[in-house]
Amino acid sequence: MKSNIVIFWILTAYLVLLAAVYTVWNLIDHGGVEWVGSTAILLSGGLTGFIAFYLQLTRSKQGGELIEDLEDSDIDDGDPELGEFSPWSWWPIVLAFGASLVVLGLCIGFEFWLAFLAAPIVIVGVVGWVYEYYRGNFAR
């Protein structure tokens, strides 16, 4: 994590310097400030600064070296148990299909009827995925 903090601080300094260069360049070339680009680059530097500051605070509160910071660690050393996943489950596909239809209905020409008709597919997908271990062959 220490290397990530350094990378984000370098990226913050780079973006702030780039915003200054971009602004000066526009002043020289066009005679005025191009506000959208200058603001976007400067705020991107601010956001990377927030990430670097958060990572620095998190590292200081953990009180030690992480597994991925040690030179002699293996990949498996920092591999936590993430949970139980069902490789045979079809419910994520149903949920993704329903969610994509809802988003498609909202994005393309504001076809609210498509989003309205696809919302039950999303609900069925969520309920089926949550309760798949409560019925059938895998019931507990």
Side-chain angles (χ1 to χ4, degrees), residues 59-122:
R59 184 175 185 273
S60 68
K61 290 188 184 206
Q62 286 174 344
E65 292 291 321
L66 296 176
I67 298 295
E68 52 265 11
D69 289 334
L70 299 176
E71 293 292 330
D72 59 343
S73 64
D74 292 328
I75 293 174
D76 292 337
D77 293 341
D79 188 19
E81 180 66 35
L82 296 176
E84 180 181 342
F85 300 100
S86 304
W88 59 83
S89 179
W90 288 87
W91 291 113
I93 297 172
V94 173
L95 182 61
F97 176 70
S100 65
L101 282 180
V102 168
V103 170
L104 185 71
L106 293 176
C107 289
I108 299 179
F110 293 104
E111 301 289 337
F112 289 114
W113 62 270
L114 182 60
F116 181 73
L117 292 177
I121 298 173
V122 173

Short mmCIF file of all heavy atoms in Angstrom, two decimals, residues 59-122:
data_model
loop_
_atom_site.label_atom_id
_atom_site.label_comp_id
_atom_site.label_asym_id
_atom_site.label_seq_id
_atom_site.Cartn_x
_atom_site.Cartn_y
_atom_site.Cartn_z
N ARG A 59 -3.42 3.46 6.05
CA ARG A 59 -2.17 2.77 6.36
C ARG A 59 -1.68 3.10 7.76
O ARG A 59 -1.19 2.23 8.48
CB ARG A 59 -1.10 3.14 5.35
CG ARG A 59 0.19 2.39 5.55
CD ARG A 59 1.19 2.68 4.45
NE ARG A 59 2.37 1.87 4.59
CZ ARG A 59 3.42 2.19 5.34
NH1 ARG A 59 3.42 3.33 6.00
NH2 ARG A 59 4.45 1.41 5.43
N SER A 60 -1.82 4.35 8.17
CA SER A 60 -1.35 4.72 9.51
C SER A 60 -2.23 4.11 10.61
O SER A 60 -1.75 3.80 11.68
CB SER A 60 -1.31 6.23 9.66
OG SER A 60 -2.62 6.77 9.64
N LYS A 61 -3.51 3.88 10.33
CA LYS A 61 -4.39 3.30 11.34
C LYS A 61 -4.29 1.79 11.41
O LYS A 61 -4.71 1.19 12.39
CB LYS A 61 -5.84 3.70 11.07
CG LYS A 61 -6.05 5.17 11.34
CD LYS A 61 -7.48 5.56 11.26
CE LYS A 61 -7.52 7.05 11.45
NZ LYS A 61 -8.70 7.57 11.96
N GLN A 62 -3.74 1.14 10.36
CA GLN A 62 -3.57 -0.31 10.42
C GLN A 62 -2.42 -0.71 11.31
O GLN A 62 -2.41 -1.81 11.84
CB GLN A 62 -3.35 -0.86 9.01
CG GLN A 62 -4.61 -0.88 8.20
CD GLN A 62 -4.37 -1.29 6.77
OE1 GLN A 62 -3.24 -1.29 6.31
NE2 GLN A 62 -5.43 -1.62 6.08
N GLY A 63 -1.47 0.17 11.47
CA GLY A 63 -0.40 -0.06 12.43
C GLY A 63 0.57 -1.16 12.07
O GLY A 63 0.99 -1.92 12.92
N GLY A 64 0.91 -1.30 10.84
CA GLY A 64 1.89 -2.31 10.45
C GLY A 64 1.96 -2.47 8.94
O GLY A 64 1.23 -1.83 8.20
N GLU A 65 2.84 -3.35 8.53
CA GLU A 65 3.01 -3.61 7.11
C GLU A 65 1.93 -4.59 6.65
O GLU A 65 1.61 -5.55 7.35
CB GLU A 65 4.39 -4.20 6.85
CG GLU A 65 5.52 -3.24 7.08
CD GLU A 65 5.56 -2.13 6.05
OE1 GLU A 65 5.31 -2.40 4.87
OE2 GLU A 65 5.85 -0.99 6.44
N LEU A 66 1.42 -4.36 5.49
CA LEU A 66 0.48 -5.30 4.90
C LEU A 66 1.25 -6.42 4.21
O LEU A 66 2.43 -6.30 3.92
CB LEU A 66 -0.42 -4.59 3.89
CG LEU A 66 -1.34 -3.52 4.47
CD1 LEU A 66 -2.10 -2.84 3.35
CD2 LEU A 66 -2.30 -4.13 5.45
N ILE A 67 0.55 -7.49 3.92
CA ILE A 67 1.18 -8.65 3.29
C ILE A 67 1.76 -8.27 1.93
O ILE A 67 2.85 -8.67 1.56
CB ILE A 67 0.16 -9.79 3.14
CG1 ILE A 67 -0.35 -10.26 4.50
CG2 ILE A 67 0.72 -10.95 2.35
CD1 ILE A 67 0.69 -10.89 5.37
N GLU A 68 1.02 -7.45 1.18
CA GLU A 68 1.49 -7.10 -0.16
C GLU A 68 2.67 -6.14 -0.16
O GLU A 68 3.28 -5.91 -1.20
CB GLU A 68 0.35 -6.54 -1.02
CG GLU A 68 -0.40 -5.42 -0.39
CD GLU A 68 -1.65 -5.87 0.34
OE1 GLU A 68 -1.85 -7.07 0.54
OE2 GLU A 68 -2.41 -4.99 0.73
N ASP A 69 2.99 -5.56 0.99
CA ASP A 69 4.16 -4.68 1.08
C ASP A 69 5.44 -5.43 1.43
O ASP A 69 6.53 -4.87 1.31
CB ASP A 69 3.92 -3.60 2.14
CG ASP A 69 2.89 -2.58 1.68
OD1 ASP A 69 2.74 -2.42 0.45
OD2 ASP A 69 2.25 -1.96 2.53
N LEU A 70 5.33 -6.66 1.86
CA LEU A 70 6.51 -7.44 2.22
C LEU A 70 7.16 -8.02 0.97
O LEU A 70 6.49 -8.50 0.06
CB LEU A 70 6.13 -8.57 3.18
CG LEU A 70 5.52 -8.14 4.51
CD1 LEU A 70 5.09 -9.35 5.31
CD2 LEU A 70 6.50 -7.29 5.29
N GLU A 71 8.50 -8.00 0.94
CA GLU A 71 9.23 -8.48 -0.23
C GLU A 71 9.21 -10.00 -0.35
O GLU A 71 9.28 -10.54 -1.45
CB GLU A 71 10.68 -7.99 -0.17
CG GLU A 71 10.84 -6.50 -0.31
CD GLU A 71 10.48 -6.00 -1.71
OE1 GLU A 71 10.65 -6.75 -2.68
OE2 GLU A 71 10.04 -4.85 -1.81
N ASP A 72 9.12 -10.71 0.76
CA ASP A 72 9.22 -12.17 0.73
C ASP A 72 7.86 -12.86 0.82
O ASP A 72 7.79 -14.04 1.13
CB ASP A 72 10.14 -12.65 1.85
CG ASP A 72 9.63 -12.23 3.21
OD1 ASP A 72 8.79 -11.32 3.28
OD2 ASP A 72 10.10 -12.81 4.22
N SER A 73 6.77 -12.16 0.57
CA SER A 73 5.45 -12.77 0.68
C SER A 73 5.03 -13.40 -0.66
O SER A 73 5.51 -13.01 -1.72
CB SER A 73 4.42 -11.72 1.10
OG SER A 73 4.29 -10.74 0.11
N ASP A 74 4.16 -14.38 -0.55
CA ASP A 74 3.61 -15.04 -1.74
C ASP A 74 2.23 -14.45 -2.03
O ASP A 74 1.65 -13.74 -1.22
CB ASP A 74 3.48 -16.54 -1.51
CG ASP A 74 4.84 -17.21 -1.42
OD1 ASP A 74 5.76 -16.73 -2.08
OD2 ASP A 74 4.94 -18.23 -0.70
N ILE A 75 1.71 -14.81 -3.19
CA ILE A 75 0.39 -14.33 -3.57
C ILE A 75 -0.68 -14.89 -2.64
O ILE A 75 -1.62 -14.20 -2.25
CB ILE A 75 0.09 -14.70 -5.04
CG1 ILE A 75 1.02 -13.94 -5.96
CG2 ILE A 75 -1.36 -14.42 -5.39
CD1 ILE A 75 0.91 -14.32 -7.41
N ASP A 76 -0.51 -16.14 -2.23
CA ASP A 76 -1.52 -16.78 -1.38
C ASP A 76 -1.54 -16.24 0.04
O ASP A 76 -2.49 -16.49 0.78
CB ASP A 76 -1.28 -18.29 -1.34
CG ASP A 76 -1.55 -18.94 -2.69
OD1 ASP A 76 -2.31 -18.34 -3.47
OD2 ASP A 76 -1.00 -20.03 -2.94
N ASP A 77 -0.49 -15.54 0.47
CA ASP A 77 -0.45 -15.04 1.84
C ASP A 77 -1.53 -13.99 2.10
O ASP A 77 -2.06 -13.91 3.20
CB ASP A 77 0.92 -14.44 2.14
CG ASP A 77 2.01 -15.49 2.16
OD1 ASP A 77 1.67 -16.68 2.30
OD2 ASP A 77 3.19 -15.12 2.03
N GLY A 78 -1.83 -13.17 1.14
CA GLY A 78 -2.82 -12.12 1.33
C GLY A 78 -4.16 -12.44 0.70
O GLY A 78 -4.94 -11.56 0.41
N ASP A 79 -4.44 -13.73 0.50
CA ASP A 79 -5.67 -14.16 -0.16
C ASP A 79 -6.73 -14.49 0.88
O ASP A 79 -6.73 -15.59 1.44
CB ASP A 79 -5.36 -15.38 -1.03
CG ASP A 79 -6.52 -15.77 -1.90
OD1 ASP A 79 -7.41 -14.93 -2.12
OD2 ASP A 79 -6.54 -16.92 -2.38
N PRO A 80 -7.64 -13.57 1.18
CA PRO A 80 -8.64 -13.85 2.21
C PRO A 80 -9.80 -14.67 1.65
O PRO A 80 -9.98 -14.80 0.44
CB PRO A 80 -9.14 -12.46 2.61
CG PRO A 80 -9.01 -11.67 1.35
CD PRO A 80 -7.78 -12.21 0.66
N GLU A 81 -10.60 -15.20 2.54
CA GLU A 81 -11.82 -15.89 2.15
C GLU A 81 -12.86 -14.85 1.78
O GLU A 81 -13.20 -13.99 2.58
CB GLU A 81 -12.33 -16.76 3.30
CG GLU A 81 -13.59 -17.51 2.99
CD GLU A 81 -13.39 -18.57 1.92
OE1 GLU A 81 -12.31 -19.17 1.88
OE2 GLU A 81 -14.31 -18.77 1.13
N LEU A 82 -13.34 -14.89 0.56
CA LEU A 82 -14.27 -13.88 0.08
C LEU A 82 -15.73 -14.27 0.22
O LEU A 82 -16.60 -13.43 0.09
CB LEU A 82 -13.97 -13.55 -1.39
CG LEU A 82 -12.61 -12.95 -1.66
CD1 LEU A 82 -12.40 -12.77 -3.14
CD2 LEU A 82 -12.47 -11.63 -0.95
N GLY A 83 -16.00 -15.51 0.43
CA GLY A 83 -17.38 -15.94 0.57
C GLY A 83 -17.67 -17.16 -0.28
O GLY A 83 -16.79 -17.74 -0.89
N GLU A 84 -18.92 -17.52 -0.32
CA GLU A 84 -19.34 -18.69 -1.07
C GLU A 84 -20.08 -18.23 -2.32
O GLU A 84 -21.02 -17.44 -2.25
CB GLU A 84 -20.27 -19.54 -0.20
CG GLU A 84 -20.74 -20.77 -0.91
CD GLU A 84 -21.67 -21.57 -0.04
OE1 GLU A 84 -21.71 -21.38 1.18
OE2 GLU A 84 -22.39 -22.39 -0.61
N PHE A 85 -19.63 -18.71 -3.45
CA PHE A 85 -20.23 -18.33 -4.72
C PHE A 85 -20.70 -19.59 -5.44
O PHE A 85 -20.05 -20.62 -5.38
CB PHE A 85 -19.24 -17.56 -5.58
CG PHE A 85 -18.77 -16.30 -4.94
CD1 PHE A 85 -17.54 -16.26 -4.30
CD2 PHE A 85 -19.55 -15.17 -4.94
CE1 PHE A 85 -17.10 -15.10 -3.70
CE2 PHE A 85 -19.12 -14.01 -4.33
CZ PHE A 85 -17.90 -13.99 -3.71
N SER A 86 -21.81 -19.47 -6.13
CA SER A 86 -22.39 -20.60 -6.83
C SER A 86 -22.00 -20.56 -8.30
O SER A 86 -22.53 -19.76 -9.06
CB SER A 86 -23.91 -20.56 -6.71
OG SER A 86 -24.28 -20.51 -5.37
N PRO A 87 -21.12 -21.43 -8.74
CA PRO A 87 -20.72 -21.40 -10.14
C PRO A 87 -21.82 -21.90 -11.07
O PRO A 87 -21.76 -21.67 -12.26
CB PRO A 87 -19.49 -22.30 -10.18
CG PRO A 87 -19.63 -23.19 -9.01
CD PRO A 87 -20.36 -22.41 -7.97
N TRP A 88 -22.82 -22.58 -10.53
CA TRP A 88 -23.90 -23.13 -11.36
C TRP A 88 -25.12 -22.22 -11.42
O TRP A 88 -26.09 -22.54 -12.08
CB TRP A 88 -24.33 -24.48 -10.79
CG TRP A 88 -24.80 -24.36 -9.39
CD1 TRP A 88 -26.04 -23.99 -8.96
CD2 TRP A 88 -24.05 -24.56 -8.21
NE1 TRP A 88 -26.11 -23.95 -7.60
CE2 TRP A 88 -24.88 -24.29 -7.11
CE3 TRP A 88 -22.73 -24.93 -7.96
CZ2 TRP A 88 -24.45 -24.40 -5.80
CZ3 TRP A 88 -22.31 -25.04 -6.66
CH2 TRP A 88 -23.16 -24.76 -5.60
N SER A 89 -25.09 -21.11 -10.75
CA SER A 89 -26.27 -20.25 -10.64
C SER A 89 -26.53 -19.48 -11.93
O SER A 89 -25.63 -18.87 -12.50
CB SER A 89 -26.08 -19.27 -9.48
OG SER A 89 -27.21 -18.44 -9.39
N TRP A 90 -27.79 -19.49 -12.35
CA TRP A 90 -28.22 -18.73 -13.52
C TRP A 90 -28.82 -17.38 -13.14
O TRP A 90 -29.11 -16.56 -14.00
CB TRP A 90 -29.25 -19.52 -14.32
CG TRP A 90 -28.64 -20.68 -15.04
CD1 TRP A 90 -28.44 -21.95 -14.52
CD2 TRP A 90 -28.11 -20.70 -16.35
NE1 TRP A 90 -27.84 -22.74 -15.46
CE2 TRP A 90 -27.63 -21.99 -16.60
CE3 TRP A 90 -28.01 -19.75 -17.36
CZ2 TRP A 90 -27.05 -22.35 -17.79
CZ3 TRP A 90 -27.44 -20.13 -18.55
CH2 TRP A 90 -26.96 -21.41 -18.76
N TRP A 91 -29.01 -17.13 -11.86
CA TRP A 91 -29.67 -15.89 -11.43
C TRP A 91 -28.89 -14.62 -11.74
O TRP A 91 -29.50 -13.60 -12.06
CB TRP A 91 -30.03 -15.97 -9.95
CG TRP A 91 -31.12 -16.97 -9.68
CD1 TRP A 91 -31.00 -18.13 -9.00
CD2 TRP A 91 -32.47 -16.88 -10.13
NE1 TRP A 91 -32.21 -18.79 -8.99
CE2 TRP A 91 -33.13 -18.03 -9.68
CE3 TRP A 91 -33.20 -15.95 -10.86
CZ2 TRP A 91 -34.46 -18.29 -9.92
CZ3 TRP A 91 -34.52 -16.20 -11.11
CH2 TRP A 91 -35.15 -17.35 -10.65
N PRO A 92 -27.56 -14.62 -11.67
CA PRO A 92 -26.85 -13.39 -12.07
C PRO A 92 -27.08 -13.01 -13.52
O PRO A 92 -27.13 -11.82 -13.86
CB PRO A 92 -25.39 -13.73 -11.81
CG PRO A 92 -25.41 -14.79 -10.78
CD PRO A 92 -26.64 -15.58 -11.04
N ILE A 93 -27.25 -14.02 -14.39
CA ILE A 93 -27.51 -13.72 -15.80
C ILE A 93 -28.89 -13.11 -15.96
O ILE A 93 -29.08 -12.16 -16.73
CB ILE A 93 -27.34 -15.00 -16.64
CG1 ILE A 93 -25.90 -15.48 -16.55
CG2 ILE A 93 -27.74 -14.75 -18.09
CD1 ILE A 93 -25.65 -16.82 -17.17
N VAL A 94 -29.88 -13.64 -15.24
CA VAL A 94 -31.23 -13.09 -15.30
C VAL A 94 -31.23 -11.65 -14.78
O VAL A 94 -31.85 -10.76 -15.37
CB VAL A 94 -32.22 -13.97 -14.48
CG1 VAL A 94 -33.58 -13.32 -14.38
CG2 VAL A 94 -32.31 -15.35 -15.08
N LEU A 95 -30.53 -11.43 -13.68
CA LEU A 95 -30.45 -10.09 -13.10
C LEU A 95 -29.74 -9.11 -14.04
O LEU A 95 -30.19 -7.97 -14.21
CB LEU A 95 -29.74 -10.15 -11.75
CG LEU A 95 -29.62 -8.85 -10.98
CD1 LEU A 95 -30.99 -8.30 -10.65
CD2 LEU A 95 -28.83 -9.07 -9.71
N ALA A 96 -28.65 -9.54 -14.66
CA ALA A 96 -27.94 -8.67 -15.59
C ALA A 96 -28.79 -8.35 -16.81
O ALA A 96 -28.79 -7.21 -17.31
CB ALA A 96 -26.63 -9.33 -16.02
N PHE A 97 -29.54 -9.33 -17.30
CA PHE A 97 -30.43 -9.09 -18.44
C PHE A 97 -31.52 -8.08 -18.09
O PHE A 97 -31.79 -7.14 -18.84
CB PHE A 97 -31.05 -10.42 -18.91
CG PHE A 97 -32.03 -10.26 -20.02
CD1 PHE A 97 -31.61 -9.92 -21.29
CD2 PHE A 97 -33.39 -10.45 -19.79
CE1 PHE A 97 -32.52 -9.79 -22.32
CE2 PHE A 97 -34.30 -10.31 -20.81
CZ PHE A 97 -33.87 -9.98 -22.08
N GLY A 98 -32.14 -8.26 -16.93
CA GLY A 98 -33.19 -7.33 -16.51
C GLY A 98 -32.65 -5.92 -16.27
O GLY A 98 -33.26 -4.93 -16.69
N ALA A 99 -31.49 -5.83 -15.62
CA ALA A 99 -30.91 -4.51 -15.37
C ALA A 99 -30.50 -3.83 -16.66
O ALA A 99 -30.66 -2.61 -16.82
CB ALA A 99 -29.70 -4.64 -14.43
N SER A 100 -29.98 -4.60 -17.62
CA SER A 100 -29.60 -3.99 -18.90
C SER A 100 -30.82 -3.51 -19.66
O SER A 100 -30.77 -2.48 -20.32
CB SER A 100 -28.79 -4.98 -19.73
OG SER A 100 -29.59 -6.09 -20.09
N LEU A 101 -31.93 -4.22 -19.57
CA LEU A 101 -33.16 -3.74 -20.21
C LEU A 101 -33.69 -2.47 -19.55
O LEU A 101 -34.19 -1.57 -20.24
CB LEU A 101 -34.24 -4.83 -20.19
CG LEU A 101 -34.09 -5.95 -21.21
CD1 LEU A 101 -35.22 -6.95 -21.06
CD2 LEU A 101 -34.05 -5.40 -22.62
N VAL A 102 -33.59 -2.40 -18.23
CA VAL A 102 -34.03 -1.18 -17.53
C VAL A 102 -33.18 0.01 -17.95
O VAL A 102 -33.69 1.08 -18.29
CB VAL A 102 -33.99 -1.38 -15.99
CG1 VAL A 102 -34.16 -0.07 -15.27
CG2 VAL A 102 -35.04 -2.36 -15.55
N VAL A 103 -31.87 -0.17 -17.96
CA VAL A 103 -30.98 0.93 -18.34
C VAL A 103 -31.16 1.28 -19.82
O VAL A 103 -31.17 2.46 -20.19
CB VAL A 103 -29.51 0.55 -18.04
CG1 VAL A 103 -28.54 1.55 -18.63
CG2 VAL A 103 -29.31 0.46 -16.54
N LEU A 104 -31.36 0.28 -20.66
CA LEU A 104 -31.60 0.53 -22.08
C LEU A 104 -32.89 1.32 -22.28
O LEU A 104 -32.94 2.25 -23.07
CB LEU A 104 -31.67 -0.80 -22.84
CG LEU A 104 -31.81 -0.73 -24.34
CD1 LEU A 104 -30.49 -0.24 -24.93
CD2 LEU A 104 -32.16 -2.08 -24.90
N GLY A 105 -33.92 0.98 -21.52
CA GLY A 105 -35.17 1.71 -21.62
C GLY A 105 -35.06 3.15 -21.15
O GLY A 105 -35.72 4.04 -21.69
N LEU A 106 -34.22 3.40 -20.16
CA LEU A 106 -34.06 4.77 -19.68
C LEU A 106 -33.12 5.60 -20.55
O LEU A 106 -33.26 6.82 -20.62
CB LEU A 106 -33.53 4.75 -18.23
CG LEU A 106 -34.48 4.18 -17.18
CD1 LEU A 106 -33.79 4.13 -15.83
CD2 LEU A 106 -35.75 4.98 -17.11
N CYS A 107 -32.18 4.94 -21.21
CA CYS A 107 -31.17 5.69 -21.96
C CYS A 107 -31.59 6.00 -23.39
O CYS A 107 -31.31 7.09 -23.89
CB CYS A 107 -29.86 4.90 -21.99
SG CYS A 107 -29.03 4.86 -20.42
N ILE A 108 -32.19 5.07 -24.05
CA ILE A 108 -32.47 5.25 -25.47
C ILE A 108 -33.85 5.86 -25.65
O ILE A 108 -34.87 5.19 -25.57
CB ILE A 108 -32.37 3.91 -26.23
CG1 ILE A 108 -30.96 3.38 -26.10
CG2 ILE A 108 -32.76 4.08 -27.68
CD1 ILE A 108 -30.72 2.08 -26.77
N GLY A 109 -33.88 7.14 -25.88
CA GLY A 109 -35.12 7.83 -26.19
C GLY A 109 -36.14 7.84 -25.08
O GLY A 109 -37.32 8.00 -25.36
N PHE A 110 -35.70 7.65 -23.87
CA PHE A 110 -36.60 7.66 -22.72
C PHE A 110 -37.78 6.72 -22.94
O PHE A 110 -38.94 7.10 -22.80
CB PHE A 110 -37.08 9.08 -22.41
CG PHE A 110 -35.99 9.97 -21.92
CD1 PHE A 110 -35.43 10.92 -22.74
CD2 PHE A 110 -35.50 9.81 -20.64
CE1 PHE A 110 -34.41 11.73 -22.29
CE2 PHE A 110 -34.48 10.62 -20.18
CZ PHE A 110 -33.94 11.58 -21.01
N GLU A 111 -37.47 5.49 -23.28
CA GLU A 111 -38.50 4.46 -23.46
C GLU A 111 -38.87 3.91 -22.08
O GLU A 111 -38.45 2.83 -21.70
CB GLU A 111 -37.99 3.35 -24.38
CG GLU A 111 -37.57 3.81 -25.75
CD GLU A 111 -38.75 4.22 -26.61
OE1 GLU A 111 -39.88 3.77 -26.34
OE2 GLU A 111 -38.55 5.02 -27.53
N PHE A 112 -39.70 4.65 -21.36
CA PHE A 112 -40.03 4.26 -20.00
C PHE A 112 -40.84 2.97 -19.96
O PHE A 112 -40.82 2.26 -18.97
CB PHE A 112 -40.79 5.39 -19.30
CG PHE A 112 -39.92 6.56 -18.99
CD1 PHE A 112 -40.13 7.78 -19.61
CD2 PHE A 112 -38.90 6.46 -18.08
CE1 PHE A 112 -39.34 8.85 -19.32
CE2 PHE A 112 -38.10 7.54 -17.78
CZ PHE A 112 -38.32 8.74 -18.41
N TRP A 113 -41.56 2.67 -21.02
CA TRP A 113 -42.35 1.44 -21.03
C TRP A 113 -41.46 0.21 -20.97
O TRP A 113 -41.80 -0.78 -20.33
CB TRP A 113 -43.26 1.39 -22.26
CG TRP A 113 -42.51 1.38 -23.56
CD1 TRP A 113 -42.14 2.46 -24.29
CD2 TRP A 113 -42.04 0.23 -24.25
NE1 TRP A 113 -41.45 2.06 -25.41
CE2 TRP A 113 -41.37 0.68 -25.41
CE3 TRP A 113 -42.10 -1.14 -24.02
CZ2 TRP A 113 -40.79 -0.17 -26.32
CZ3 TRP A 113 -41.51 -1.99 -24.93
CH2 TRP A 113 -40.88 -1.50 -26.07
N LEU A 114 -40.28 0.27 -21.62
CA LEU A 114 -39.36 -0.86 -21.58
C LEU A 114 -38.78 -1.03 -20.17
O LEU A 114 -38.68 -2.14 -19.66
CB LEU A 114 -38.24 -0.66 -22.60
CG LEU A 114 -37.22 -1.78 -22.72
CD1 LEU A 114 -37.89 -3.08 -23.12
CD2 LEU A 114 -36.15 -1.42 -23.72
N ALA A 115 -38.44 0.08 -19.54
CA ALA A 115 -37.93 0.02 -18.17
C ALA A 115 -39.02 -0.47 -17.22
O ALA A 115 -38.74 -1.25 -16.30
CB ALA A 115 -37.41 1.39 -17.74
N PHE A 116 -40.23 -0.05 -17.46
CA PHE A 116 -41.35 -0.47 -16.61
C PHE A 116 -41.62 -1.96 -16.75
O PHE A 116 -41.91 -2.65 -15.77
CB PHE A 116 -42.60 0.34 -16.97
CG PHE A 116 -43.79 0.01 -16.14
CD1 PHE A 116 -43.88 0.41 -14.82
CD2 PHE A 116 -44.84 -0.70 -16.68
CE1 PHE A 116 -44.97 0.10 -14.05
CE2 PHE A 116 -45.95 -1.02 -15.93
CZ PHE A 116 -46.01 -0.62 -14.61
N LEU A 117 -41.53 -2.47 -17.99
CA LEU A 117 -41.76 -3.90 -18.20
C LEU A 117 -40.58 -4.76 -17.76
O LEU A 117 -40.75 -5.95 -17.47
CB LEU A 117 -42.06 -4.15 -19.68
CG LEU A 117 -43.38 -3.59 -20.18
CD1 LEU A 117 -43.52 -3.84 -21.67
CD2 LEU A 117 -44.55 -4.19 -19.43
N ALA A 118 -39.38 -4.20 -17.72
CA ALA A 118 -38.20 -4.96 -17.33
C ALA A 118 -37.96 -4.96 -15.82
O ALA A 118 -37.20 -5.79 -15.32
CB ALA A 118 -36.97 -4.42 -18.04
N ALA A 119 -38.59 -4.06 -15.10
CA ALA A 119 -38.40 -3.99 -13.65
C ALA A 119 -38.78 -5.30 -12.94
O ALA A 119 -38.08 -5.73 -12.02
CB ALA A 119 -39.15 -2.80 -13.07
N PRO A 120 -39.88 -5.98 -13.32
CA PRO A 120 -40.16 -7.27 -12.68
C PRO A 120 -39.08 -8.33 -12.92
O PRO A 120 -38.86 -9.18 -12.06
CB PRO A 120 -41.49 -7.70 -13.31
CG PRO A 120 -42.13 -6.44 -13.74
CD PRO A 120 -41.01 -5.54 -14.15
N ILE A 121 -38.41 -8.27 -14.06
CA ILE A 121 -37.32 -9.22 -14.31
C ILE A 121 -36.19 -8.98 -13.31
O ILE A 121 -35.59 -9.93 -12.80
CB ILE A 121 -36.82 -9.10 -15.76
CG1 ILE A 121 -37.94 -9.44 -16.74
CG2 ILE A 121 -35.61 -9.99 -16.01
CD1 ILE A 121 -37.59 -9.20 -18.18
N VAL A 122 -35.91 -7.71 -13.01
CA VAL A 122 -34.88 -7.38 -12.02
C VAL A 122 -35.29 -7.90 -10.64
O VAL A 122 -34.48 -8.50 -9.92
CB VAL A 122 -34.62 -5.86 -11.99
CG1 VAL A 122 -33.70 -5.49 -10.85
CG2 VAL A 122 -34.06 -5.39 -13.31
#
